Amino acid sequence: MLLPALGGALPDQREAIRVGDQTASWEQIRDAAAGIAGRIAGAPAVAVHATASLDTVVAIVGGLMAGVPVVPVPADAGPVELAHILTDSGAALLLAQTPPPVPLPIPVEPVDRARPGPSTPIAEPPGTATALILYTSGTTGAPKGVLLTRDAIGYGLDALAEAWAWTPDDTLAHGLPLYHVHGLVLGVLGALRVGCRLVHTGRPHPDRYATAGGTLLFGVPTVWSRIAADPVSARALAPARLLVSGSAPLPVPVFDRLRELTGHRPVERYGMTETLITVSTRVDGERRPGHVGLPLRGIATRLVDDAGQPVPEDGESIGELQVRGPTLFAGYLGMPEATEASHAPGGWFRTGDVATVGPDGQHRIVGRASIDLIKSGGYRIGAGEVENMLLAHPGVREAAVVGVPHPELGQEIVAYVVGDGVAAQALIDFVAGRLSWHKRPRQVHLVDALPRNAMGKVQKRQLLP
């Protein structure tokens, strides 16, 4: 069963889920979701307007109960993106309490939590059935629908529960969006599979994390950076059991500041929409700043160069990270050629990320091969290493590094920095004095803010000339 917390004997918890100021027991979630399931059973797919609400949780669980592929739609999706997702996914209807104020290609229905469920329970679908269709960010074209099976989700969550000692005694707290792997699969379905209480803070504000009472807290680097800058909220997290960071590399200075304020060394993990979470630090293992740990149970990883040849696992050599295992997606919806192109022989998925792996198996993600691996003057340089060094300067609050075409070097290192009272040349000299000379930025642009998406990831393509 994908969500055992909602089957059989319900856990004895008065409040199973809190989203903002809305609460529900396990029984209320099960019964409301059953009503949704009875309404949509047999549909080819159903879309859910994924706002931070209890209605979203009920609608998604209802789709999973019915065995209908669920298509979470970003709450802030623009009209073009929205139309593409609804049309491409083949969703029969959109479940939305307050529909988006634009023309839609499919019918819209409100989430009716009072609707009774079917008299006969719907049978659990096979593990190979599609559970979710999650859409990629569309950085290389129109967003692609990623098909995630029930088995892949269940296996991935169980492997994380082992790695993090995640049990029904935990209270999971986070304020992440409910339409992607981090906030939805880990942050909602994880709680429902493990059987622990969930507190969704509505928005990921430091003060809300501080008062959520979580033993297990999920955040992205932007969230943790804001918490690290709020000592009162950060210190309130000291009683927690585990702080987990993902979706992008956690800057080393933020890691160090959280350790100082909370007493916790954050756990980092790595994954993608197409692979779910494949690598993570263990609760009882080493938590090394800038590293995401070891492959989860059943997951294999390897590094290859541009020619597909193995890269030494010496902690220094950079290569493309490829992964293989039971958490991989079943393909891109309606795109067999793209699915085939995303795999190397032997079932290896090409992540498009570059990384290093040490002799002890510790993985460090450098970034996207297309933008975070800079080839300058014959050297292969990871943008993240330069960014972390810039962030070590006391006057730097944010930093993003890109490679810009250069007639002699191939690419030159260019940094965009949000800071206080810093000068461009001083930052260049700061990096040059601490890293290899060839890793220094050739240009530093001081800016008021860095472009970010809804997950807080820096949109580096917008920085390129």
Side-chain angles (χ1 to χ4, degrees), residues 245-271:
S245 182
S247 298
L250 182 68
V252 173
V254 176
F255 182 104
D256 291 339
R257 184 64 171 157
L258 287 171
R259 176 177 53 187
E260 175 188 342
L261 292 170
T262 69
H264 292 285
R265 299 172 66 89
V267 162
E268 294 192 66
R269 86 301 183 283
Y270 167 79

Side-chain angles (χ1 to χ4, degrees), residues 368-459:
R368 296 299 292 171
S370 59
I371 197 165
D372 290 307
L373 178 59
I374 301 170
K375 299 176 182 178
S376 181
Y379 294 100
R380 293 160 63 91
I381 303 156
E385 182 180 18
V386 183
E387 289 165 354
N388 273 325
M389 187 51 63
L390 286 166
L391 289 167
H393 190 286
V396 173
R397 286 185 280 123
E398 298 179 57
V401 168
V402 296
V404 173
H406 188 276
E408 295 178 0
L409 299 172
Q411 289 180 303
E412 67 174 347
I413 301 173
V414 177
Y416 291 81
V417 170
V418 180
D420 302 302
V422 293
Q425 188 58 50
L427 293 177
I428 294 172
D429 295 341
F430 181 82
V431 175
R434 289 161 177 79
L435 296 179
S436 299
W437 181 253
H438 64 268
K439 295 180 180 179
R440 74 192 188 284
R442 300 294 181 119
Q443 298 182 49
V444 171
H445 300 289
L446 302 174
V447 296
D448 294 329
L450 298 176
R452 296 180 181 273
N453 64 12
M455 281 296 294
K457 291 184 180 180
V458 177
Q459 301 300 282

Side-chain angles (χ1 to χ4, degrees), residues 32-45:
I36 297 291
R39 162 67 185 85
I40 65 176

Side-chain angles (χ1 to χ4, degrees), residues 88-231:
D88 184 73
S89 66
L93 58 91
L94 173 67
L95 293 171
Q97 210 62 34
T98 304
V102 295
L104 299 173
I106 60 174
V108 180
E109 286 196 14
V111 178
D112 183 359
R113 282 192 264 150
R115 186 187 184 109
S119 55
T120 303
I122 299 172
E124 179 87 3
T128 55
T130 298
L132 299 173
I133 305 175
L134 301 185
Y135 275 78
T136 63
S137 59
T139 56
T140 58
K144 298 188 289 289
V146 175
L147 304 175
L148 296 175
T149 67
R150 302 171 77 90
D151 278 348
I153 292 171
Y155 186 97
L157 292 174
D158 289 347
L160 283 176
E162 291 177 13
W164 298 342
W166 188 358
T167 75
D169 293 332
D170 279 307
T171 292
L172 170 60
H174 71 90
L176 303 173
L178 301 184
Y179 52 80
H180 55 74
V181 169
H182 199 166
L184 172 58
V185 178
L186 275 62
V188 174
L189 303 187
L192 293 174
R193 187 168 179 86
V194 170
C196 75
R197 180 169 175 261
L198 168 65
V199 176
H200 190 283
T201 62
R203 295 186 64 82
H205 293 161
D207 60 332
R208 297 187 185 185
Y209 271 52
T211 58
T215 63
L216 180 64
L217 294 107
F218 291 169
V220 297
T222 302
V223 173
W224 293 122
S225 178
R226 290 171 180 166
I227 291 174
D230 183 343

Side-chain angles (χ1 to χ4, degrees), residues 302-305 311 318-322 350-355 369:
R302 69 178 185 180
L303 297 180
V304 298
D305 61 20
V311 169
I318 295 174
E320 183 199 10
L321 180 64
Q322 297 184 351
R350 310 175 193 268
T351 67
D353 286 325
V354 287

